[in-house]
Amino acid sequence: MEANIIRTGRVVLHVADLDRSRKFYVDALGLIETETRGDELYLRGLEEHNHHSIVLKKSSEPRVEVISYKVMSDSDLDRLEELFNAKGMKTKWLEKGSQHAVGRTLRTQDPSGMPVEFYAEMDTVERMLQRYDLYKGARIQRIDHFNCMVRDVEKAYHFYIDELGFACSEYTAAEDERIWAAWLHRKPSVHDVAFMNGKGPRLHHTGFWLSDQLSLIHACDVLASMGYTQNIERGPGRHGLSNAFFLYLRDPDGHRIELYNGDYLTSDPDFKPVRWDINDPRRQTFWGHAAPDSWFEEASEVMNLFAEEDETVMEIGEPTLKQRKPTFVI
Amino acid sequence: MEANIIRTGRVVLHVADLDRSRKFYVDALGLIETETRGDELYLRGLEEHNHHSIVLKKSSEPRVEVISYKVMSDSDLDRLEELFNAKGMKTKWLEKGSQHAVGRTLRTQDPSGMPVEFYAEMDTVERMLQRYDLYKGARIQRIDHFNCMVRDVEKAYHFYIDELGFACSEYTAAEDERIWAAWLHRKPSVHDVAFMNGKGPRLHHTGFWLSDQLSLIHACDVLASMGYTQNIERGPGRHGLSNAFFLYLRDPDGHRIELYNGDYLTSDPDFKPVRWDINDPRRQTFWGHAAPDSWFEEASEVMNLFAEEDETVMEIGEPTLKQRKPTFVI
Amino acid sequence: MEANIIRTGRVVLHVADLDRSRKFYVDALGLIETETRGDELYLRGLEEHNHHSIVLKKSSEPRVEVISYKVMSDSDLDRLEELFNAKGMKTKWLEKGSQHAVGRTLRTQDPSGMPVEFYAEMDTVERMLQRYDLYKGARIQRIDHFNCMVRDVEKAYHFYIDELGFACSEYTAAEDERIWAAWLHRKPSVHDVAFMNGKGPRLHHTGFWLSDQLSLIHACDVLASMGYTQNIERGPGRHGLSNAFFLYLRDPDGHRIELYNGDYLTSDPDFKPVRWDINDPRRQTFWGHAAPDSWFEEASEVMNLFAEEDETVMEIGEPTLKQRKPTFVI
Amino acid sequence: MEANIIRTGRVVLHVADLDRSRKFYVDALGLIETETRGDELYLRGLEEHNHHSIVLKKSSEPRVEVISYKVMSDSDLDRLEELFNAKGMKTKWLEKGSQHAVGRTLRTQDPSGMPVEFYAEMDTVERMLQRYDLYKGARIQRIDHFNCMVRDVEKAYHFYIDELGFACSEYTAAEDERIWAAWLHRKPSVHDVAFMNGKGPRLHHTGFWLSDQLSLIHACDVLASMGYTQNIERGPGRHGLSNAFFLYLRDPDGHRIELYNGDYLTSDPDFKPVRWDINDPRRQTFWGHAAPDSWFEEASEVMNLFAEEDETVMEIGEPTLKQRKPTFVI
């Protein structure tokens, strides 16, 4: 029986200065600060009833410790351990209590090398959805997805679909119908995770869902008012692929955040994954300015969870398919 | 093994004049007309890849023929038949081809007396999500839910949760914690169906999801421009319960339509159903004008699918709990 | 030579509790607090470069001290004095310094009995238009207009148009083409002041301009979050007359505030005033719920600036035309 | 006595193909087609009660025939003639009837060489403001301003302010406080005309006012749906200068159109023109992508109204100050 993964859960990012990060994530983007605990800052979106969806840990290097998925029940964790071990993947447990506010957690390095974690349980807190008096900045509602830059998208694609039960909503086809990028989901939205061909493993961005387009425009205004104009890397614009109305930001440590609106329901078994040719100019940018080179080249390094020494990052390798910045982007 | 219901699928409404209905649903509300076929008009929302989510059939009386749910696979239909028959409920099959664009369909009258239908298969058509040049009126994206006025909410609640696998997102508690109304879902949104205590069985409304608040405001403007001011029955306003930003309309035959924005994700097993006291003034109306009496008293009659004579409607009975219009509504 | 009145300037309201008012106007509606000075609270909108557009003075009774217009130059004040005296109206000067932040001011009781004030000069302060990080609540941009309930609209109409140089944008005609209400402007918008037939003289409301519809919807949400649901008296809705997208609020002392969006340019000499029949159902409400009785009957008392005793209010008399609440309002 | 210019009136553009232009301006941007008359297409915005604000004339070359201002009365035209002649500028009259729907018109070449026209009278037509059922695309409300690229901004600045009674809302200062660009208005908005240092005389763009930000975002979506992605030259973004939320488009002939939202009231004599240093990075782009080179270099050629041969354009010369694309633009 397949493990039941529900959705994207949380991301753990290493940052240099919690106060600096708080100003960006809480004051400018409007995330709710659940609590600060020593060197860790716990944040959540306005509708989230779980303790946090993002953990910022003070550290000397701006790395991604782990990206996490929530599963339906504790026994799903055992099923995942079994699966990973059967596939020859290393796993380790973090028992309940060893990570603040989170239950028993299973960690592994996925076939792309991304550090991934699964948990069934997280403390619940007050949902702020109807505390409109606290809304500010981008009014982030919830975490939505991860975008991973990996060396072999097809390997990731098959593992997540065949072994973990993800479904594909949209994908980009290169020569010979090789999959150059793919958008995969467990919750019936466009994605919980996307894989994009490139130097990896690296985390390209974490996506957060906004309830409307004007919150994204207002976020630009607020960011500019607060001196964060340079942190707006790309957008606003609309992707053809996923129909996302998007804004890409770089946080003060360089981690990339996507503010995202424009999803659709992908629940149906007869939903056919949308195929985009890599040479279709409307795929990347339905409209909007060309993405800067940094958007194609830069991404966050990720931790090697099984290294002998702490704080070891995964080695970055060249992609299987040609890594490219589409030439047609307007 | 439980049958896997995916989501609210479609509603079949009887109306007096297809042209009159087309003007309202297509010209004013912006639904896409998939096709008109004899005395039947098939409509869908902008993101819907299935043939239709609403069928309008020319008929002498404005009734609800059936409300429909989509299931994951054809075998789920057999499981449902088995369940219904075990519960002593009548069922009947409409074989593939007997209803246009829909596969094999199982019909029953649910424990509340609502005519309900299940299908696994519907023709797919072009999704118009990125045909922004065709957006107009309310820019309806997709069907979202049904709201049924029934005599015994708790009976419906237990059947849908215990037998059909729905989960409860929010509910209204009356004296002695009796459930006066309940919002139930299969897709991870606030609801696919709500049951409300009142004279029934009747369909109170069909809800459609809009991507943003301004589409709803623009819908008001368009409706007024086209002479439909009187068709706006209630709103715009926000419900405390469900956090919906809402507008209730009466179509030219009196069927009630809700335009709806403001949902949240309900995927998690640790999501606790939100309890609202029936005397909490913010439950019905977080803000907005008092609902008119018609909103509490009027609803569409529904067909008896198993009557000996065609066109027989279900008899309407008094509710178990006191039917009431909250006195506190501002 | 005619005096050059530029625009609606400010309103001076008496309120019982400055802290209570600050919570409403600053925290919920998002006005900028320029300063509090003893028993006076000075507020302005986000784009206003003048010191304030609203003064709240602590007082035992919730009255309107005066409504004010800004004129082009100091000599316009002398021209107005001459005009008023020629018409037999009393005037008095408040010399520069006697009112905080305002230059020399001329006060009179206009032909309707409204206490009116004119000034050419007010301290300038920082404009907050691009301080998006300070935007909150209704994001009020600027003061827009006054609405006065008076006994004889035609008398007011002729005085403001013939003597003060206002132009009419829209009006309501009752029997025999008598003017039942009129919208008059100096700045090229729909109005700086409107006169409405009713028991008067009273100030019906002060209107503030919002840059967009969503700020108004968000204001409803914020007000409800903060416990001000009962302060929302009417709306949101759209007037046919003036095309205003409106929300009417009652402040903690009962003064009525309109949040307003949807103006148009009225600069042209060939712009014909829009005539609305008093029996046209779309005049009051293009769409939206019926206005409550309070909206037709209640308004703020205004001060008699020339009474022998301080704190004397103008006596309220019956209107010339039938005072009525349109029966057609939906 | 000074002539009383009210506002920006209309622009007359030469285009190659009226059908191609209609698809862009009417179908995509949502302008109302007042009428097509031979080789001329007359368009207006949703709130405009005058016959047109843009005329598209079929012609072999994409030029600007004239930009026009509306004056208060016919006698203002005589005052302007007198002024222009006193300054040694050529003028000519187009008598009423010689231009469709427009009264007597005075034409001149202004000190920058821009072909300019003044009229007091234009036919009135139905205002479509409340015909929300006809709203589409960008929902353009009205014409707002012209932006002229000229060789000597200070010369233009002094002529329009000292002789024509314009006021300055904002300006850009280069070395030695030389004025590099200036925003000037007659109606109390940010501008009716802006002058920008560059190769000229040329018309950089014509600005149209939108009522809200979402209309601009929707315009992007509609343009992309219709295949006009390449016509989006710059934006969406926000200028620091003028606080405009902007989108720059190139019409099918290359004429530049600005969709514009975010104005403020500039009526007051104590409003101090906002000074922006040319090296302030937030001036051009409060936030948003760098403008492409085309935005700085390309503009529409303008007609020489007094040339001996028809269809002669004004010769383009180098600017007085250094023409530059700010290096800081992000």
Side-chain angles (χ1 to χ4, degrees):
Chain A
M1 191 180 160
E2 212 165 60
N4 189 350
I5 297 169
I6 308 173
R7 60 170 176 88
T8 292
R10 64 168 196 168
V11 64
V12 182
L13 300 175
H14 290 189
V15 300
D17 181 333
L18 291 189
D19 289 334
R20 189 179 68 168
S21 295
R22 182 184 293 109
K23 189 180 164 213
F24 181 80
Y25 284 102
V26 177
D27 296 349
L29 298 190
L31 283 164
I32 301 289
E33 179 176 351
T34 303
E35 64 175 312
T36 297
R37 213 166 160 271
D39 281 346
E40 299 175 355
L41 176 53
Y42 294 85
L43 306 174
R44 70 186 194 277
L46 291 162
E47 75 164 65
E48 292 178 336
H49 63 102
N50 273 169
H51 184 273
H52 62 271
S53 53
I54 180 163
V55 186
L56 302 172
K57 288 190 183 177
K58 187 168 162 54
S59 179
S60 57
E61 299 295 330
R63 288 156 181 172
V64 177
E65 181 175 314
V66 74
I67 59 176
S68 316
Y69 297 94
K70 191 174 184 183
V71 300
M72 185 59 76
S73 68
D74 198 70
S75 58
D76 289 307
L77 300 176
D78 297 319
R79 281 188 203 102
L80 286 169
E81 181 190 31
E82 200 175 326
L83 167 69
F84 296 156
N85 292 345
K87 295 278 164 190
M89 294 158 60
K90 287 183 189 163
T91 53
K92 67 175 166 188
W93 291 99
L94 297 181
E95 289 308 317
K96 181 169 179 170
S98 61
Q99 291 196 101
H100 181 55
V102 185
R104 190 169 69 122
T105 306
L106 178 70
R107 289 189 161 186
T108 190
Q109 213 87 26
D110 84 1
S112 307
M114 293 296 295
V116 182
E117 175 192 81
F118 301 85
Y119 62 89
E121 197 187 327
M122 187 186 282
D123 291 356
T124 57
V125 292
E126 190 190 347
R127 206 174 47 141
M128 296 300 190
L129 186 59
Q130 296 187 325
R131 288 296 307 276
Y132 292 101
D133 50 324
L134 302 181
Y135 279 41
K136 61 183 175 180
R139 303 177 179 180
I140 290 176
Q141 293 250 124
R142 60 174 182 260
I143 195 169
D144 188 76
H145 65 265
F146 304 117
N147 185 305
C148 305
M149 191 169 261
V150 299
R151 300 177 58 193
D152 188 339
V153 169
E154 292 187 339
K155 186 162 76 173
Y157 175 91
H158 289 298
F159 182 76
Y160 277 78
I161 288 187
D162 300 343
E163 309 295 343
L164 296 182
F166 283 67
C168 179
S169 57
E170 311 205 9
Y171 68 100
T172 302
E175 298 83 348
D176 308 321
E177 290 302 307
R178 300 290 299 275
I179 299 175
W180 193 85
W183 279 249
L184 310 179
H185 67 90
R186 283 290 305 171
K187 71 177 178 299
S189 63
V190 171
H191 52 332
D192 286 293
V193 65
F195 294 99
M196 197 161 58
N197 183 75
K199 287 181 190 162
R202 292 185 295 169
L203 181 65
H204 189 268
H205 67 261
T206 306
F208 291 89
W209 192 82
L210 308 188
S211 71
D212 61 277
Q213 299 174 346
L214 275 195
S215 295
L216 192 150
I217 299 298
H218 184 57
C220 294
D221 284 329
V222 171
L223 286 161
S225 292
M226 293 178 68
Y228 288 119
T229 300
Q230 300 295 335
N231 296 63
I232 302 177
E233 185 185 34
R234 180 182 180 193
R238 189 180 294 282
H239 293 304
L241 201 154
S242 86
N243 199 42
F245 182 63
F246 64 81
L247 187 75
Y248 291 97
L249 305 173
R250 302 298 287 272
D251 86 355
D253 292 272
H255 297 300
R256 189 179 287 105
I257 297 296
E258 182 186 12
L259 304 182
Y260 173 84
N261 172 259
D263 219 356
Y264 57 87
L265 191 66
T266 57
S267 58
D268 292 8
D270 59 359
F271 180 85
K272 307 275 186 311
V274 181
R275 178 194 177 280
W276 294 84
D277 193 285
I278 197 169
N279 295 315
D280 181 340
R282 301 206 306 178
R283 176 184 65 89
Q284 262 264 351
T285 308
F286 193 60
W287 56 263
H289 280 257
D293 289 342
S294 63
W295 193 89
F296 291 97
E297 291 162 12
E298 300 174 12
S300 294
E301 290 185 314
V302 300
M303 302 298 291
N304 181 339
L305 300 173
F306 300 90
E308 295 194 6
E309 291 182 42
D310 276 357
E311 304 292 314
T312 306
V313 297
M314 290 295 290
E315 201 178 335
I316 294 169
E318 290 297 319
T320 310
L321 300 180
K322 204 169 82 188
Q323 183 189 7
R324 55 194 141 182
K325 161 180 160 184
T327 54
F328 51 75
V329 171
I330 56 161
Chain B
M1 190 179 162
E2 212 165 58
N4 189 350
I5 298 169
I6 308 173
R7 60 171 177 89
T8 293
R10 65 167 194 166
V11 64
V12 182
L13 299 175
H14 290 189
V15 300
D17 181 335
L18 291 189
D19 289 335
R20 188 178 69 169
S21 295
R22 182 185 292 107
K23 189 182 162 213
F24 181 80
Y25 283 101
V26 177
D27 296 349
L29 298 190
L31 284 164
I32 301 290
E33 179 176 352
T34 302
E35 64 175 311
T36 297
R37 210 163 162 275
D39 281 345
E40 298 174 356
L41 176 53
Y42 294 85
L43 306 174
R44 70 186 193 277
L46 292 162
E47 75 164 64
E48 292 179 335
H49 63 102
N50 272 167
H51 185 273
H52 62 271
S53 54
I54 181 164
V55 186
L56 301 172
K57 288 191 182 176
K58 188 169 162 51
S59 180
S60 57
E61 299 295 330
R63 287 157 182 170
V64 178
E65 181 174 315
V66 74
I67 59 177
S68 317
Y69 297 94
K70 190 173 184 182
V71 301
M72 184 60 76
S73 68
D74 199 68
S75 58
D76 289 306
L77 300 176
D78 297 319
R79 280 187 205 104
L80 286 168
E81 181 189 31
E82 197 175 327
L83 166 69
F84 296 155
N85 292 345
K87 296 279 165 188
M89 294 158 59
K90 288 182 186 165
T91 54
K92 67 175 167 189
W93 290 100
L94 298 181
E95 287 309 316
K96 181 166 180 174
S98 62
Q99 292 196 101
H100 179 56
V102 185
R104 187 171 71 124
T105 305
L106 178 70
R107 288 188 164 189
T108 191
Q109 214 87 26
D110 83 2
S112 307
M114 292 296 297
V116 182
E117 175 192 82
F118 302 85
Y119 62 88
E121 197 187 327
M122 187 187 281
D123 290 357
T124 58
V125 292
E126 189 189 349
R127 204 173 49 139
M128 296 301 189
L129 187 59
Q130 295 186 327
R131 289 297 306 276
Y132 291 99
D133 51 325
L134 301 181
Y135 279 40
K136 61 183 172 179
R139 303 177 178 178
I140 289 176
Q141 293 250 124
R142 60 174 181 259
I143 195 169
D144 187 76
H145 65 265
F146 304 117
N147 184 306
C148 305
M149 191 170 262
V150 299
R151 297 177 60 194
D152 187 339
V153 169
E154 292 187 341
K155 186 163 76 173
Y157 175 92
H158 288 299
F159 182 77
Y160 277 79
I161 287 187
D162 299 344
E163 309 295 343
L164 297 182
F166 283 68
C168 178
S169 58
E170 310 205 9
Y171 68 101
T172 302
E175 297 83 350
D176 308 323
E177 291 301 308
R178 300 290 300 275
I179 300 175
W180 192 85
W183 279 249
L184 310 179
H185 67 90
R186 283 291 306 171
K187 71 177 179 299
S189 64
V190 171
H191 53 331
D192 285 292
V193 65
F195 294 99
M196 195 160 58
N197 183 74
K199 288 181 189 164
R202 294 186 294 170
L203 181 65
H204 189 268
H205 67 260
T206 306
F208 290 90
W209 192 82
L210 309 188
S211 71
D212 61 278
Q213 300 174 344
L214 275 194
S215 295
L216 192 151
I217 298 298
H218 184 56
C220 293
D221 284 330
V222 171
L223 286 161
S225 293
M226 292 177 71
Y228 288 120
T229 300
Q230 300 295 335
N231 297 62
I232 302 177
E233 185 185 33
R234 181 183 179 190
R238 189 180 292 282
H239 293 306
L241 202 155
S242 86
N243 199 42
F245 183 64
F246 64 81
L247 188 75
Y248 291 97
L249 306 173
R250 302 298 287 272
D251 85 356
D253 291 272
H255 297 300
R256 188 179 287 107
I257 297 295
E258 182 186 10
L259 304 182
Y260 173 85
N261 172 260
D263 221 355
Y264 57 88
L265 191 64
T266 56
S267 58
D268 292 8
D270 59 358
F271 180 84
K272 306 277 184 312
V274 181
R275 178 193 177 280
W276 293 83
D277 192 285
I278 196 168
N279 295 314
D280 182 339
R282 301 205 307 180
R283 177 185 65 90
Q284 263 263 353
T285 310
F286 193 60
W287 56 263
H289 280 256
D293 290 342
S294 63
W295 194 88
F296 291 96
E297 292 161 11
E298 300 174 9
S300 293
E301 291 185 314
V302 300
M303 302 298 291
N304 181 337
L305 300 173
F306 299 91
E308 296 195 5
E309 290 183 44
D310 275 0
E311 301 295 315
T312 305
V313 297
M314 289 295 290
E315 200 179 334
I316 294 168
E318 291 296 319
T320 309
L321 301 181
K322 207 169 80 189
Q323 184 187 8
R324 56 193 139 183
K325 162 179 159 186
T327 55
F328 51 74
V329 170
I330 54 159
Chain C
M1 190 181 164
E2 212 165 59
N4 190 350
I5 297 169
I6 309 172
R7 61 170 176 89
T8 292
R10 65 168 194 166
V11 64
V12 182
L13 300 175
H14 290 189
V15 300
D17 180 335
L18 292 189
D19 289 335
R20 189 178 68 169
S21 295
R22 182 184 292 109
K23 188 181 164 215
F24 181 81
Y25 283 101
V26 177
D27 296 349
L29 298 190
L31 283 164
I32 300 290
E33 179 176 351
T34 303
E35 63 175 312
T36 298
R37 209 165 163 274
D39 282 347
E40 299 175 355
L41 176 53
Y42 294 85
L43 306 174
R44 69 186 194 277
L46 291 162
E47 75 164 64
E48 292 179 336
H49 63 101
N50 273 169
H51 184 273
H52 63 271
S53 53
I54 180 164
V55 187
L56 302 172
K57 288 190 182 177
K58 186 169 162 52
S59 180
S60 55
E61 299 295 329
R63 289 157 180 169
V64 177
E65 181 174 314
V66 74
I67 59 177
S68 316
Y69 297 94
K70 191 174 183 183
V71 301
M72 184 59 78
S73 67
D74 199 69
S75 58
D76 289 306
L77 300 177
D78 297 319
R79 279 186 205 104
L80 286 169
E81 181 190 31
E82 199 175 328
L83 166 69
F84 295 156
N85 292 344
K87 295 280 165 187
M89 294 158 60
K90 286 181 187 166
T91 53
K92 68 175 167 188
W93 291 99
L94 297 181
E95 288 308 317
K96 180 167 180 173
S98 61
Q99 292 195 101
H100 181 56
V102 185
R104 189 169 71 124
T105 306
L106 179 70
R107 289 189 162 187
T108 191
Q109 214 87 25
D110 84 1
S112 306
M114 292 296 297
V116 181
E117 177 192 80
F118 300 85
Y119 62 88
E121 196 187 326
M122 187 186 280
D123 291 357
T124 57
V125 292
E126 189 190 350
R127 206 173 47 141
M128 297 300 189
L129 187 59
Q130 294 185 327
R131 288 298 306 277
Y132 292 99
D133 51 325
L134 302 181
Y135 279 40
K136 61 182 173 180
R139 303 178 179 178
I140 289 176
Q141 293 249 123
R142 61 175 180 259
I143 196 169
D144 188 76
H145 65 266
F146 304 117
N147 185 305
C148 305
M149 191 170 263
V150 299
R151 298 177 60 193
D152 187 339
V153 169
E154 292 187 340
K155 186 162 76 175
Y157 175 91
H158 289 297
F159 181 76
Y160 277 79
I161 287 187
D162 300 343
E163 309 295 344
L164 297 182
F166 283 67
C168 179
S169 56
E170 310 205 9
Y171 67 101
T172 303
E175 298 83 349
D176 307 322
E177 290 302 306
R178 298 291 299 274
I179 300 175
W180 193 86
W183 279 248
L184 310 179
H185 67 91
R186 283 290 306 172
K187 71 177 177 298
S189 63
V190 172
H191 52 332
D192 285 293
V193 65
F195 293 99
M196 196 159 58
N197 184 74
K199 287 179 189 165
R202 292 187 294 169
L203 181 64
H204 189 269
H205 66 260
T206 305
F208 291 90
W209 193 81
L210 309 188
S211 71
D212 62 277
Q213 300 174 344
L214 275 195
S215 295
L216 193 151
I217 299 298
H218 184 56
C220 293
D221 284 330
V222 170
L223 285 162
S225 292
M226 293 178 69
Y228 287 119
T229 300
Q230 300 296 334
N231 297 62
I232 303 176
E233 186 184 32
R234 181 184 180 190
R238 189 181 293 282
H239 293 306
L241 201 156
S242 86
N243 199 41
F245 182 63
F246 64 81
L247 187 75
Y248 291 97
L249 305 173
R250 302 299 287 272
D251 85 356
D253 291 272
H255 297 300
R256 189 178 287 105
I257 297 296
E258 183 185 9
L259 304 182
Y260 174 85
N261 172 259
D263 220 356
Y264 56 86
L265 192 64
T266 56
S267 59
D268 291 9
D270 59 358
F271 180 85
K272 306 277 185 310
V274 181
R275 178 193 176 282
W276 294 83
D277 192 285
I278 196 169
N279 295 314
D280 182 339
R282 301 207 306 179
R283 176 184 66 89
Q284 262 264 352
T285 309
F286 193 60
W287 56 262
H289 281 256
D293 290 343
S294 63
W295 194 89
F296 291 97
E297 291 162 12
E298 299 174 10
S300 293
E301 290 186 314
V302 300
M303 300 300 291
N304 181 337
L305 299 173
F306 300 91
E308 295 195 5
E309 291 182 42
D310 275 359
E311 303 295 314
T312 305
V313 297
M314 291 295 290
E315 200 178 335
I316 294 168
E318 291 296 320
T320 309
L321 301 180
K322 206 169 80 189
Q323 185 189 4
R324 54 195 142 183
K325 162 179 157 182
T327 54
F328 51 74
V329 171
I330 55 157
Chain D
M1 189 178 160
E2 212 165 60
N4 190 349
I5 297 168
I6 309 173
R7 61 170 178 87
T8 293
R10 65 168 195 167
V11 64
V12 182
L13 300 175
H14 290 189
V15 301
D17 181 334
L18 291 189
D19 289 335
R20 188 179 67 168
S21 295
R22 182 185 292 108
K23 188 181 164 216
F24 181 79
Y25 284 101
V26 176
D27 297 347
L29 298 190
L31 283 163
I32 300 289
E33 179 175 353
T34 303
E35 63 175 311
T36 297
R37 208 165 164 274
D39 281 347
E40 298 175 355
L41 175 53
Y42 295 86
L43 307 174
R44 69 185 194 279
L46 291 162
E47 75 164 65
E48 291 179 336
H49 63 103
N50 273 169
H51 184 273
H52 61 270
S53 53
I54 180 163
V55 186
L56 302 172
K57 289 189 182 178
K58 187 170 163 50
S59 181
S60 57
E61 299 296 330
R63 287 154 182 175
V64 177
E65 182 174 314
V66 74
I67 59 177
S68 316
Y69 297 93
K70 191 173 184 184
V71 302
M72 184 59 76
S73 68
D74 199 70
S75 58
D76 289 307
L77 300 176
D78 297 319
R79 281 187 204 102
L80 287 168
E81 182 190 30
E82 199 175 327
L83 167 70
F84 296 155
N85 292 345
K87 295 278 165 188
M89 293 157 60
K90 286 181 187 166
T91 54
K92 69 175 165 188
W93 291 99
L94 298 181
E95 287 310 315
K96 181 168 179 170
S98 61
Q99 292 195 103
H100 180 56
V102 185
R104 187 170 72 122
T105 306
L106 179 70
R107 288 189 162 187
T108 190
Q109 215 87 25
D110 83 2
S112 307
M114 292 296 297
V116 181
E117 174 192 82
F118 301 85
Y119 62 88
E121 198 187 327
M122 186 186 282
D123 291 356
T124 58
V125 292
E126 189 190 349
R127 204 174 47 140
M128 297 301 190
L129 186 59
Q130 295 187 326
R131 288 298 306 278
Y132 292 101
D133 51 325
L134 302 181
Y135 279 40
K136 61 182 173 180
R139 302 176 179 180
I140 289 176
Q141 292 251 123
R142 60 174 181 258
I143 195 169
D144 188 77
H145 65 264
F146 304 117
N147 185 306
C148 305
M149 192 170 261
V150 299
R151 299 178 58 193
D152 187 339
V153 170
E154 292 187 340
K155 185 162 76 175
Y157 175 91
H158 288 299
F159 182 77
Y160 277 79
I161 287 188
D162 300 344
E163 308 295 341
L164 296 182
F166 283 67
C168 178
S169 57
E170 311 205 9
Y171 67 101
T172 302
E175 298 83 348
D176 308 322
E177 290 302 308
R178 299 291 299 276
I179 300 175
W180 193 84
W183 279 250
L184 310 179
H185 67 91
R186 282 291 305 170
K187 70 177 178 300
S189 63
V190 171
H191 54 330
D192 285 293
V193 66
F195 294 100
M196 198 160 58
N197 184 74
K199 287 181 189 163
R202 294 185 294 169
L203 181 65
H204 189 268
H205 66 261
T206 305
F208 291 89
W209 193 81
L210 309 188
S211 71
D212 61 277
Q213 299 174 344
L214 276 194
S215 295
L216 192 151
I217 299 298
H218 184 57
C220 294
D221 285 329
V222 170
L223 286 161
S225 293
M226 293 179 68
Y228 288 119
T229 300
Q230 300 296 334
N231 297 62
I232 302 177
E233 185 185 34
R234 180 184 180 191
R238 188 181 294 282
H239 293 306
L241 202 154
S242 86
N243 199 43
F245 182 64
F246 65 80
L247 187 75
Y248 291 97
L249 305 173
R250 302 298 289 270
D251 86 355
D253 293 272
H255 297 301
R256 189 178 288 105
I257 297 295
E258 182 186 10
L259 304 183
Y260 173 83
N261 172 259
D263 220 355
Y264 57 88
L265 191 65
T266 57
S267 58
D268 291 8
D270 59 359
F271 180 85
K272 308 277 184 310
V274 181
R275 178 194 177 280
W276 294 83
D277 193 284
I278 197 168
N279 294 316
D280 181 340
R282 302 205 307 178
R283 177 184 66 89
Q284 263 263 352
T285 310
F286 193 59
W287 56 262
H289 281 257
D293 289 342
S294 63
W295 193 89
F296 292 96
E297 291 162 12
E298 299 174 10
S300 293
E301 290 185 315
V302 300
M303 302 298 292
N304 181 339
L305 300 173
F306 300 91
E308 294 194 5
E309 290 183 43
D310 276 357
E311 303 294 313
T312 305
V313 297
M314 290 295 290
E315 200 177 335
I316 294 168
E318 290 297 319
T320 309
L321 301 181
K322 206 168 80 187
Q323 184 187 7
R324 54 193 141 184
K325 162 179 158 184
T327 53
F328 52 76
V329 171
I330 55 159

